């Protein structure tokens, strides 16, 4: 089934379903796909998620032990993912692209070693951009709440503070959950009018 078709789990509204938000929070690594002048490529990055639509809002960040908040409510707007990568890497150069336009990306997140009958994971597409100094502090709080070891290591913290912090705003997400039935899918679109 293509993304433009609407499976039974598709939602036409802008409220991101609880199951999708919980799945995003349950994982910490995404495989980020992009294209550059040499063709398609993918890179794994650690990510932190804010489920309420943007840095600085009243949201759930997926910090260790944090299971309440926006994950239970019908938050209008979509999740925001934050990750750190240098603009000197191949994927960093491709994502930085011709500013100010955000880069179009696709991504997946899933746990390794799953049995096929209980397989769960996410597929997504969205727009990615580096955060400027004014926005970085709020995104950094989300990232370090998810990965407290960054703040605990002066060496790591200093290295990452010099590296670009990125924001990925998904506009389409699909949760696959074979535990709820083989091929079970639940989808969310930021704008039901787009295809």
């Amino acid at each position: 089934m293509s993304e433009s078709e609407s499976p039974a789990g598709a939602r036409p509204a802008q409220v991101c379903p609880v199951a999708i938000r919980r799945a995003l929070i349950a994982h910490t690594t995404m495989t980020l796909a992009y294209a550059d002048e040499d063709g398609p490529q993918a890179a794994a990055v650690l990510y932190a998620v804010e489920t309420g639509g943007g840095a600085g809002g009243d949201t759930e960040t997926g910090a260790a032990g944090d299971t309440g908040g926006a994950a239970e409510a019908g938050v209008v707007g979509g999740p925001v993912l934050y990750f750190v990568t240098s603009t000197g890497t191949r994927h960093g150069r491709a994502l930085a692209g011709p500013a100010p336009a955000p880069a179009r990306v696709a991504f997946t997140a899933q746990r390794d070693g799953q049995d096929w009958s209980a397989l769960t994971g996410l597929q997504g597409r969205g727009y990615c951009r580096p955060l400027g100094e004014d926005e970085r502090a709020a995104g950094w709080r989300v990232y370090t709440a998810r990965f407290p070891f960054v703040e605990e290591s002066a060496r790591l913290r200093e290295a990452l503070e010099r590296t670009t912090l990125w924001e990925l705003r998904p506009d389409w997400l699909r949760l696959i959950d074979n535990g709820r039935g083989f091929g079970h899918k639940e989808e969310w679109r930021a704008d039901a009018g787009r295809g």
Side-chain angles (χ1 to χ4, degrees):
M1 177 177 297
S2 76
E3 286 100 12
S4 61
E5 296 173 355
S6 294
R11 305 229 176 169
Q14 291 187 0
V15 174
C16 187
V18 170
I20 291 176
R21 293 193 313 268
R22 283 186 177 154
L24 279 168
I25 290 166
H27 301 292
T28 59
T29 306
M30 71 173 151
T31 302
L32 189 62
Y34 61 93
D36 63 11
E37 63 278 353
D38 292 327
Q41 183 69 17
V45 295
L46 292 175
Y47 74 92
V49 64
E50 183 173 41
T51 60
D58 180 22
T59 65
E60 184 195 6
T61 61
D66 187 0
T67 58
E72 304 302 327
V75 177
V76 176
V80 180
L81 284 61
Y82 298 97
F83 64 96
V84 177
T85 198
S86 169
T87 54
T89 62
R90 179 178 172 187
H91 58 279
R93 288 188 305 272
L95 297 176
R104 187 82 170 130
V105 297
F107 62 95
T108 63
Q110 68 282 324
R111 204 178 68 244
D112 285 342
Q114 297 184 66
D115 179 76
W116 71 268
S117 63
L119 179 76
T120 63
L122 290 148
Q123 302 168 352
R125 286 192 310 260
Y127 291 92
C128 185
R129 68 183 184 88
L131 291 178
E133 287 304 313
D134 294 342
E135 303 163 299
R136 184 180 170 92
W140 187 249
R141 282 191 298 275
V142 173
Y143 192 82
T144 57
R146 180 63 170 178
F147 303 111
F149 62 85
V150 170
E151 290 290 338
E152 293 165 4
S153 166
R155 185 173 160 210
L156 180 58
R157 182 184 65 249
E158 290 167 7
L160 292 182
E161 285 176 343
R162 292 188 304 267
T163 305
T164 305
L165 181 65
W166 300 79
E167 172 190 87
L168 192 164
R169 289 190 176 262
D171 57 19
W172 174 79
L173 292 165
R174 175 185 284 161
L175 170 66
I176 307 293
D177 187 351
N178 283 356
R180 294 177 62 189
F182 183 72
H184 175 84
K185 296 175 182 70
E186 190 167 351
E187 291 189 8
W188 170 81
R189 290 183 188 278
D191 180 354
R194 288 196 294 191

Short mmCIF file of all heavy atoms in Angstrom, two decimals, residues 7 101 108 114:
data_model
loop_
_atom_site.label_atom_id
_atom_site.label_comp_id
_atom_site.label_asym_id
_atom_site.label_seq_id
_atom_site.Cartn_x
_atom_site.Cartn_y
_atom_site.Cartn_z
N PRO A 7 -4.95 3.46 4.89
CA PRO A 7 -5.33 2.22 5.54
C PRO A 7 -6.32 2.50 6.66
O PRO A 7 -6.54 3.65 7.05
CB PRO A 7 -4.00 1.69 6.11
CG PRO A 7 -3.18 2.90 6.30
CD PRO A 7 -3.58 3.85 5.20
N ALA A 101 16.20 26.64 2.79
CA ALA A 101 15.22 25.57 2.64
C ALA A 101 15.59 24.36 3.49
O ALA A 101 16.73 23.91 3.45
CB ALA A 101 15.13 25.16 1.17
N THR A 108 13.56 5.70 9.63
CA THR A 108 12.93 4.57 10.32
C THR A 108 13.49 4.50 11.74
O THR A 108 14.59 4.99 12.00
CB THR A 108 13.20 3.22 9.62
OG1 THR A 108 14.61 2.96 9.64
CG2 THR A 108 12.69 3.22 8.19
N GLN A 114 14.02 -8.31 16.80
CA GLN A 114 12.62 -8.58 17.09
C GLN A 114 12.14 -9.84 16.37
O GLN A 114 12.57 -10.13 15.26
CB GLN A 114 11.74 -7.42 16.66
CG GLN A 114 12.02 -6.12 17.38
CD GLN A 114 11.05 -5.05 16.96
OE1 GLN A 114 9.86 -5.14 17.23
NE2 GLN A 114 11.56 -4.03 16.29
#
